[in-house]
Amino acid sequence: MTYENILVFREGAVGRVQLNRPQALNALNSALMTELVDAFREFDRDPEIRCLLLHGNERAFGAGADIKEMADMGAIDMYSRDHISLWDEVARIRTPIVAAVSGYCLGGALELAMICDIIVASETAKFGQPEINIGVLPGAGGTQRLTRAVGKSLAMEMVLTGRMLSADEARAAGLVSRVVPVEAYLSEAQRLAAEIASKSPVALRLAKEAVLQSFESGLAGGLAYERRLFALAFASEDQKEGMQAFAAKRQPEWKGR
Ligand code: CO8
């Protein structure tokens, strides 16, 4: 399939997608989100691909959902067209996803980055939920995922005032895992994605599922879930190979089953 709003690359076992509407600061219209979901799903089905990487350009990861596309919509349009479910589709991807963020990461684009599993930020990154300034509120999960990521007080400040966090503030708050100079943010994220992609794909998916379960359940339920997935890992050849390779002091060869 050819895409008009994203660029898609295969780099070894990493599937890389670049958001590509620079003239609109990568505003996420429904065409772009549909293409993104399509590309991610295709990678997710591909056994050769073990980690995904999502990024924009230096000026913007994304300036949010496309305001011009939404401006004239009524409540029933919003409800029945259900564009927001495209964000839910990204959350259903089982392959780990690294987001590399430079410049603006606002509104629906921050909500998209928070659905990814790890955020690497350039020093120039700016994170915000500015929807309050256009008379609405976050609609693709921001009130929930941001609050879990940075805590109630800072999430409230961001959502109620629209203030953007700098990269350093975002790291201090736990929203991003690392901050790197702008000229290195993409290569650093590629390096991280390649490192993740070198692990057992079975174990990666089980681990991602187990960590995400912490958002869905209380501690007892989450621990029980983790225990079941841990036991399930022992049904894989990769578990045998990983542990035998460790004992034999050699590198494991992952089979992905
Ligand atoms: N939507 C559409 N177009 C946009 C958007 C956007 N979110 N952001 C920027 N653009 C366009 C501008 O209109 C402009 O286009 P043009 O050159 O044709 O006039 C171009 O991108 C460049 O933008 P600016 O000239 O404004 O650039 P500045 O450097 O002056 O400002 C800002 C950069 C501060 C990022 C500014 O563009 C801005 O405030 N953008 C809007 C940010 C925002 O409010 N985001 C939240 C949107 S609402 C949302 O995300 C809700 C998600 C819920 C799910 C929705 C499901 C459908």
Side-chain angles (χ1 to χ4, degrees):
M1 170 157 182
T2 52
Y3 297 115
E4 290 178 4
N5 300 284
I6 59 172
L7 301 173
V8 177
F9 307 88
R10 293 178 70 101
E11 294 171 338
V14 175
R16 176 160 72 90
V17 177
Q18 178 172 11
L19 305 173
N20 192 35
R21 289 187 77 210
Q23 71 286 1
L25 299 183
N26 290 335
L28 307 172
N29 62 11
S30 47
L32 183 153
M33 286 301 295
T34 302
E35 290 181 9
L36 175 64
V37 167
D38 191 72
F40 269 5
R41 279 195 186 141
E42 198 171 321
F43 278 140
D44 206 33
R45 283 192 296 266
D46 184 339
E48 302 296 314
I49 295 295
R50 298 174 178 188
C51 189
L52 302 177
L53 175 57
L54 178 64
H55 63 101
N57 54 50
E58 279 188 16
R59 186 164 176 224
F61 176 82
D66 192 312
I67 298 170
K68 294 165 192 169
E69 190 179 59
M70 288 185 292
D72 295 327
M73 280 192 194
I76 300 304
D77 291 328
M78 185 52 76
Y79 178 76
S80 47
R81 290 194 204 171
D82 197 23
H83 290 159
I84 295 176
S85 65
L86 293 164
W87 277 253
D88 300 336
E89 294 302 321
V90 177
R92 287 198 187 94
I93 298 295
R94 300 174 79 194
T95 310
I97 311 172
V98 176
V101 172
S102 180
Y104 294 111
C105 182
L106 305 177
L110 176 53
E111 293 168 312
L112 176 61
M114 290 191 293
I115 288 169
C116 298
D117 301 305
I118 301 174
I119 303 177
V120 173
S122 95
E123 285 167 346
T124 62
K126 291 187 176 72
F127 298 91
Q129 297 282 174
E131 290 89 344
I132 200 78
N133 295 325
I134 53 170
V136 290
L137 67 156
T143 61
Q144 306 305 301
R145 290 195 177 90
L146 184 67
T147 307
R148 285 165 164 83
V150 306
K152 174 188 162 192
S153 189
L154 185 54
M156 277 288 190
E157 183 186 331
M158 291 172 70
V159 169
L160 299 184
T161 71
R163 181 172 84 79
M164 297 179 205
L165 298 188
S166 68
D168 284 337
E169 279 180 289
R171 191 170 64 82
L175 182 61
V176 313
S177 74
R178 61 179 84 179
V179 178
V180 279
V182 63
E183 57 278 8
Y185 86 100
L186 188 54
S187 57
E188 179 67 9
Q190 284 172 303
R191 200 200 54 70
L192 177 63
E195 182 186 345
I196 292 169
S198 72
K199 313 293 183 190
S200 157
V202 185
L204 285 175
R205 289 185 173 203
L206 291 171
K208 169 169 173 163
E209 189 179 332
V211 173
L212 287 177
Q213 188 62 26
S214 70
F215 292 109
E216 308 292 340
S217 57
L219 182 61
L223 289 173
Y225 198 92
E226 179 193 75
R227 201 148 306 167
R228 282 194 293 276
L229 292 183
F230 186 71
L232 184 58
F234 284 73
S236 71
E237 288 180 31
D238 279 358
Q239 174 269 327
K240 303 282 174 298
E241 168 64 8
M243 294 190 177
Q244 285 165 6
F246 174 81
K249 299 190 188 299
R250 62 171 173 81
Q251 286 298 313
E253 283 180 35
W254 304 124
K255 298 277 183 350
R257 54 178 187 265

